[in-house]
Amino acid sequence: MKRTDWPEWSKAALAARESVLASLMTQALTRPGLLSLAAGFTDNAVVPTEIVREAVAHLPADGSALQYGSNPGRPKLREILAARLARQDGAASPALPADRFLLTSGSQQALYLAAQALCDEGDIVLVEAPTYFVVFDVFYGLGLRVLEMPMTAQGQVDPEGVAALLKRLETEGELPRVKLAYFITYYSNPTGLSMDGAVKRALGKVFAENAPRVVALEDTAYRDLYFTAPHPTPSLAALPEWEGLSFAVMGSFSKCFSPGLRLGWIAANLPELSGAMLRIKAQQDFGSGNLSQWIAEYAFASGAFEPFVASLRIHYAAKARLMSASFAENGLNKLGWSWEEPEGGLLLWLAAPKTLDTGLESAFCRAALEENVLYVPGAFAYADPEKAPKNRVRIAFGAPRGADLAEAARRFAKAASQFA
Ligand SMILES: Cc1ncc(COP(=O)(O)O)c(C=O)c1O
């Protein structure tokens, strides 16, 4: 039957563009022979299969781990996370106590909850340039406006530039619409860079002076995946410059444990913000997977978690080196490409020669696909793709195995060589 009676789509459905990430992931999973350096998967060889098996073998006989959990999440796990954040921050006690923590369905839900708790349609969110491209789906899906914060040539947020931006917004009467500023502070997606301690502190002063009602959202998804030493800068929770301001710190079990658990967390310093997110979360799922949380809790309680993350650091540090070395061996730098060696995370951020367009529709992208290698065009990581640099590429080295990494680099460099 031919359909004539289409429903009238909601604004949310209309705003939900086909997600770039979803289509890249589908391509990565379905196209035979394609080597994907696009989707941010982790390495199946180092997901915590043994730990999870052991955890499941120890499921409580009373069935409680397979029952509904509570909306904010398992109390013990929240305590563990609060204590762990304090320890990572070098703080004597948690600045964000356990009752501010919410376990979420992936940290993706944390992003969404923060945005929903704070923003109405037409409100403004500030982001780094570049930033994690999936947040645009979240923010634009909610009808928000996204503004890029000025950045330095070193890829850091420029506090003076942010002050000037906030002043300009005030003059234009738009400052009250600015609700959220989103930062990825450790081994960022896509750049692999971490926020400098001085910048983080300076930003506290900038917001205190210019926009104290704006909530900072600190995404620490990759914090655990440092290659040699933990990044020395604590989270916003432990910086005196941020005292008295509003912020939330969020994290994920995806990169440091298992993406399949779909487990993340968010902790706001304002109890009211935690409360608002919790009420919205109740509408969405009244609690994230209790079994996943139980497994994470077991991993901590059994002492398996920290050694496991330590092993991931070694694994991904080696992959980062291999990826970078393979690009170099295949002559990518001689073709005018450059990149910095990351100190953590799962990503390389390449710069092609200035005039080379790497966009999804570009000749280079077609050449790469013909070589059966996939990447994320860097322009997606900017709020305004029209104004974004066209010559950037995000490379995810998490999933492909050793020989495939080297082969993917070879194919990529071969595609690049056609445009030298
Ligand atoms: C910076 C950043 N934040 C959040 C997420 C969301 O991850 P998840 O929902 O798996 O926790 C990702 C995923 O790649 C990410 O890179």
Side-chain angles (χ1 to χ4, degrees), residues 79-97 101 223 234-235 237-238 265:
E79 260 164 40
I80 290 169
L81 289 173
R84 189 168 190 267
L85 179 64
R87 215 166 39 244
Q88 286 179 314
D89 283 346
S93 63
L96 296 173
F101 276 71
R223 185 176 189 179
S235 78
W265 54 267

Short mmCIF file of all heavy atoms in Angstrom, two decimals, residues 79-97 101 223 234-235 237-238 265:
data_model
loop_
_atom_site.label_atom_id
_atom_site.label_comp_id
_atom_site.label_asym_id
_atom_site.label_seq_id
_atom_site.Cartn_x
_atom_site.Cartn_y
_atom_site.Cartn_z
N GLU A 79 29.91 5.91 45.51
CA GLU A 79 30.95 6.22 46.51
C GLU A 79 32.35 5.94 45.95
O GLU A 79 33.28 6.73 46.15
CB GLU A 79 30.74 5.38 47.76
CG GLU A 79 30.06 6.16 48.85
CD GLU A 79 29.51 5.25 49.93
OE1 GLU A 79 30.19 4.27 50.28
OE2 GLU A 79 28.39 5.53 50.38
N ILE A 80 32.47 4.82 45.29
CA ILE A 80 33.77 4.46 44.70
C ILE A 80 34.21 5.55 43.72
O ILE A 80 35.36 5.99 43.71
CB ILE A 80 33.67 3.08 44.00
CG1 ILE A 80 33.51 1.97 45.03
CG2 ILE A 80 34.89 2.83 43.11
CD1 ILE A 80 33.13 0.61 44.45
N LEU A 81 33.26 6.00 42.89
CA LEU A 81 33.61 7.00 41.87
C LEU A 81 33.97 8.34 42.51
O LEU A 81 34.90 9.02 42.05
CB LEU A 81 32.46 7.16 40.88
CG LEU A 81 32.24 5.97 39.94
CD1 LEU A 81 30.97 6.16 39.12
CD2 LEU A 81 33.45 5.79 39.01
N ALA A 82 33.24 8.71 43.55
CA ALA A 82 33.54 9.99 44.22
C ALA A 82 34.94 9.93 44.84
O ALA A 82 35.73 10.88 44.70
CB ALA A 82 32.49 10.26 45.30
N ALA A 83 35.25 8.82 45.49
CA ALA A 83 36.58 8.68 46.12
C ALA A 83 37.67 8.63 45.06
O ALA A 83 38.75 9.21 45.23
CB ALA A 83 36.61 7.42 46.98
N ARG A 84 37.39 7.98 43.96
CA ARG A 84 38.40 7.83 42.91
C ARG A 84 38.69 9.19 42.26
O ARG A 84 39.85 9.52 41.99
CB ARG A 84 37.89 6.83 41.87
CG ARG A 84 38.93 6.45 40.85
CD ARG A 84 38.48 5.26 40.02
NE ARG A 84 39.59 4.77 39.21
CZ ARG A 84 39.80 5.15 37.96
NH1 ARG A 84 39.00 6.01 37.39
NH2 ARG A 84 40.84 4.68 37.31
N LEU A 85 37.64 9.97 42.02
CA LEU A 85 37.85 11.31 41.43
C LEU A 85 38.72 12.16 42.37
O LEU A 85 39.65 12.83 41.93
CB LEU A 85 36.51 11.99 41.15
CG LEU A 85 36.61 13.39 40.54
CD1 LEU A 85 37.27 13.36 39.16
CD2 LEU A 85 35.23 14.07 40.44
N ALA A 86 38.40 12.09 43.65
CA ALA A 86 39.20 12.86 44.62
C ALA A 86 40.65 12.41 44.59
O ALA A 86 41.58 13.23 44.62
CB ALA A 86 38.60 12.70 46.02
N ARG A 87 40.86 11.11 44.53
CA ARG A 87 42.23 10.57 44.51
C ARG A 87 42.96 11.05 43.25
O ARG A 87 44.09 11.51 43.32
CB ARG A 87 42.15 9.04 44.51
CG ARG A 87 43.25 8.37 45.29
CD ARG A 87 43.01 6.90 45.59
NE ARG A 87 42.38 6.13 44.54
CZ ARG A 87 41.18 5.56 44.62
NH1 ARG A 87 40.47 5.71 45.72
NH2 ARG A 87 40.69 4.85 43.64
N GLN A 88 42.29 10.96 42.11
CA GLN A 88 42.93 11.42 40.87
C GLN A 88 43.25 12.91 40.93
O GLN A 88 44.21 13.37 40.34
CB GLN A 88 41.98 11.19 39.68
CG GLN A 88 41.87 9.74 39.26
CD GLN A 88 40.90 9.57 38.10
OE1 GLN A 88 39.81 10.13 38.10
NE2 GLN A 88 41.29 8.79 37.11
N ASP A 89 42.41 13.65 41.63
CA ASP A 89 42.60 15.10 41.75
C ASP A 89 43.60 15.46 42.84
O ASP A 89 43.86 16.65 43.07
CB ASP A 89 41.26 15.78 42.04
CG ASP A 89 40.40 15.89 40.79
OD1 ASP A 89 40.93 15.70 39.67
OD2 ASP A 89 39.20 16.21 40.92
N GLY A 90 44.09 14.47 43.55
CA GLY A 90 45.02 14.75 44.65
C GLY A 90 44.35 15.45 45.82
O GLY A 90 44.99 16.18 46.57
N ALA A 91 43.03 15.26 45.96
CA ALA A 91 42.29 15.92 47.04
C ALA A 91 42.16 14.96 48.23
O ALA A 91 42.04 13.75 48.05
CB ALA A 91 40.91 16.33 46.55
N ALA A 92 42.16 15.55 49.44
CA ALA A 92 42.09 14.72 50.64
C ALA A 92 40.72 14.06 50.76
O ALA A 92 40.60 12.93 51.22
CB ALA A 92 42.40 15.57 51.86
N SER A 93 39.69 14.79 50.35
CA SER A 93 38.35 14.21 50.42
C SER A 93 37.57 14.69 49.20
O SER A 93 37.92 15.70 48.58
CB SER A 93 37.65 14.65 51.71
OG SER A 93 37.51 16.05 51.67
N PRO A 94 36.51 13.95 48.84
CA PRO A 94 35.78 14.33 47.63
C PRO A 94 35.14 15.71 47.72
O PRO A 94 34.35 15.98 48.63
CB PRO A 94 34.70 13.25 47.52
CG PRO A 94 35.20 12.10 48.32
CD PRO A 94 36.00 12.71 49.43
N ALA A 95 35.49 16.59 46.76
CA ALA A 95 34.79 17.86 46.67
C ALA A 95 33.39 17.63 46.13
O ALA A 95 32.47 18.38 46.40
CB ALA A 95 35.56 18.81 45.76
N LEU A 96 33.25 16.57 45.34
CA LEU A 96 31.93 16.16 44.83
C LEU A 96 31.56 14.86 45.54
O LEU A 96 32.06 13.79 45.18
CB LEU A 96 31.99 15.94 43.32
CG LEU A 96 32.30 17.17 42.46
CD1 LEU A 96 32.49 16.78 41.00
CD2 LEU A 96 31.20 18.20 42.60
N PRO A 97 30.74 14.93 46.57
CA PRO A 97 30.41 13.72 47.33
C PRO A 97 29.54 12.76 46.51
O PRO A 97 28.97 13.13 45.48
CB PRO A 97 29.66 14.25 48.55
CG PRO A 97 29.25 15.63 48.22
CD PRO A 97 30.12 16.13 47.12
N PHE A 101 26.70 12.23 42.48
CA PHE A 101 27.00 11.37 41.32
C PHE A 101 25.75 10.67 40.81
O PHE A 101 24.97 10.14 41.60
CB PHE A 101 28.05 10.30 41.68
CG PHE A 101 29.46 10.79 41.59
CD1 PHE A 101 29.96 11.68 42.51
CD2 PHE A 101 30.29 10.37 40.56
CE1 PHE A 101 31.27 12.14 42.42
CE2 PHE A 101 31.59 10.82 40.46
CZ PHE A 101 32.09 11.71 41.39
N ARG A 223 40.38 10.46 30.46
CA ARG A 223 41.36 10.81 31.50
C ARG A 223 42.21 9.62 31.92
O ARG A 223 43.40 9.76 32.19
CB ARG A 223 40.63 11.39 32.72
CG ARG A 223 41.60 11.88 33.79
CD ARG A 223 40.88 12.54 34.94
NE ARG A 223 41.83 13.18 35.84
CZ ARG A 223 41.49 13.85 36.93
NH1 ARG A 223 40.21 13.97 37.25
NH2 ARG A 223 42.42 14.40 37.68
N PRO A 234 44.24 18.81 38.02
CA PRO A 234 43.03 18.18 38.56
C PRO A 234 41.78 18.63 37.79
O PRO A 234 41.83 19.55 36.97
CB PRO A 234 42.98 18.69 40.00
CG PRO A 234 43.83 19.89 40.04
CD PRO A 234 44.81 19.81 38.92
N SER A 235 40.68 17.97 38.08
CA SER A 235 39.41 18.37 37.48
C SER A 235 38.94 19.68 38.10
O SER A 235 39.50 20.15 39.10
CB SER A 235 38.36 17.28 37.70
OG SER A 235 37.88 17.36 39.03
N ALA A 237 36.67 20.14 39.98
CA ALA A 237 36.23 19.93 41.36
C ALA A 237 37.31 20.33 42.37
O ALA A 237 36.99 20.64 43.52
CB ALA A 237 35.86 18.47 41.55
N ALA A 238 38.56 20.31 41.94
CA ALA A 238 39.65 20.54 42.91
C ALA A 238 40.40 21.85 42.63
O ALA A 238 41.49 22.06 43.15
CB ALA A 238 40.61 19.37 42.88
N TRP A 265 29.05 8.51 33.96
CA TRP A 265 28.64 9.17 35.21
C TRP A 265 28.76 10.68 35.07
O TRP A 265 29.48 11.18 34.20
CB TRP A 265 29.48 8.68 36.39
CG TRP A 265 30.97 8.79 36.20
CD1 TRP A 265 31.80 7.82 35.71
CD2 TRP A 265 31.81 9.93 36.47
NE1 TRP A 265 33.10 8.28 35.65
CE2 TRP A 265 33.14 9.57 36.12
CE3 TRP A 265 31.58 11.20 36.98
CZ2 TRP A 265 34.22 10.44 36.26
CZ3 TRP A 265 32.66 12.08 37.12
CH2 TRP A 265 33.96 11.70 36.77
#
